[in-house]
Amino acid sequence: MPDLPTARPRIAALPAYSRAAGAGSVRWRASSNESTVPPSPAVVQAVARVGAQAHLYPTLAGDDLVEAIATRLGTSPDQVVVGGGSLAVLQLALTAYTGPGTEVVHAWRSYEAYPILIGIADAQPVPVPLDGEFRHDVEAMLAAVTERTSAVLVCDPNNPTGTTLPPQRLGELVAGVPSNVLVLLDQAYCEFDEQDPLDVAALVAEHPNVVVFRTFSKAYGLAGLRAGYAVGSAEVVAPVRNSAPPFGLSAAAEAAALAAWADAAHTAEIVATVTASREAFRGGLAERGLHTPDARGNFVWLPVGERATELERLCVRHGVSVRAFAGEGVRVTVGDPDAEAAVLAAVEDLLG
């Protein structure tokens, strides 16, 4: 066989994104933090309309969606970037501001895509263990910042543990990062957090080195269409936008996001479904002797340690997929009482 092209060593060594066991064969999926409520009827209608014009390009940079987001959040359009999911926009930010010889500080365990994205940018990940309550350890993260640090990545609510920092502690973390270091605040699950919502416009005005990332995949029910956005100071956001390819957000995704953004009642229905299921599920786990950390996303973290993969197998046997992190715990998406009942039955099997 002839020699073939070889990838950059850093790319060849990237970790693979995990797959949930049994996801294609089970009755219920509680492994990917998808909404259990279908999207708004307005979304379905908007996608159908755009489908009839699929021969035309979308707006160059998601222009209509940028305008709608800026209007609601009280920022200017040049402070907003949209793309194919918040993860895609986060990749743009890492591309613009990190690279060889730089480090990105992030909590761990946190979102498993972070080391992949940081590696693609050819930066060095610096994982900082969570504290005893499965939250970001503010002091440890600040202590990990060095002259090589180009960014600090904060996931709040944290995936997969579901925990948040109290507003004061989050403020201490942001304020403690040097102004020449980027703070990437990933808030993919913020709509499910019952604390007072973060004033994004005020935060980035006070701390221009902060960029906030949010998604339409979770509380807006658009996981299959891929739309997300970032908000920051205009000066910091400009290189992020310049890193994006033209027409990076499909016409279908933009139309769907605009329709979902406008249908506040449907978003509230998705959030209410999640918060009610989340507390009932945590109560059921506690009754069975399994206590879980405070959950603020659309999922619950089961800290079963070395028995994580065993619990995952038992869940599949009961007809539901979950996401196991070997040696640490299991993440369960909430919103479907039948799926949660299947997980509770598996927990009973596990704990005897």
Side-chain angles (χ1 to χ4, degrees), residues 88-170:
V89 187
L90 176 59
Q91 182 69 78
L92 296 176
L94 290 168
T95 299
Y97 283 98
T98 73
T102 69
E103 296 178 345
V104 179
V105 174
H106 63 92
W108 199 253
R109 164 79 54 187
S110 194
Y111 186 29
E112 62 177 314
Y114 292 159
I116 300 173
L117 268 59
I118 295 167
I120 292 170
D122 218 9
Q124 184 64 40
V126 179
V128 177
L130 299 172
D131 67 17
E133 296 182 327
F134 301 98
R135 291 189 171 107
H136 286 54
D137 188 326
V138 173
E139 286 74 23
M141 291 189 71
L142 292 176
V145 174
T146 71
E147 68 278 359
R148 294 182 298 277
T149 306
S150 56
V152 175
L153 182 46
V154 180
C155 188
D156 192 88
N158 186 50
N159 177 13
T161 62
T163 53
T164 60
L165 286 171
Q168 180 181 348
R169 294 290 283 159
L170 180 60

Side-chain angles (χ1 to χ4, degrees), residues 40-42 72 220 258-268:
S40 162
R72 179 177 297 180
Y220 296 91
L258 281 165
W261 190 249
D263 194 345
H266 192 79
T267 301

Side-chain angles (χ1 to χ4, degrees), residues 230-292:
V231 183
S233 66
E235 295 78 9
V236 169
V237 162
V240 180
R241 184 182 298 105
N242 293 342
S243 300
F247 311 113
L249 183 68
S250 75
E254 182 172 16
L258 281 165
W261 190 249
D263 194 345
H266 192 79
T267 301
E269 177 188 348
I270 294 175
V271 171
T273 299
V274 165
T275 53
S277 286
R278 187 175 66 197
E279 296 317 305
F281 181 53
R282 291 186 68 210
L285 291 168
E287 290 171 2
R288 290 159 177 80
L290 182 56
H291 296 278
T292 56

Side-chain angles (χ1 to χ4, degrees), residues 294-315:
D294 187 23
R296 300 284 179 164
N298 66 342
F299 54 90
V300 174
W301 176 247
L302 281 56
V304 294
E306 296 299 327
R307 305 189 75 181
T309 54
E310 181 184 357
L311 178 56
E312 181 183 43
R313 287 194 297 269
L314 289 169
C315 286

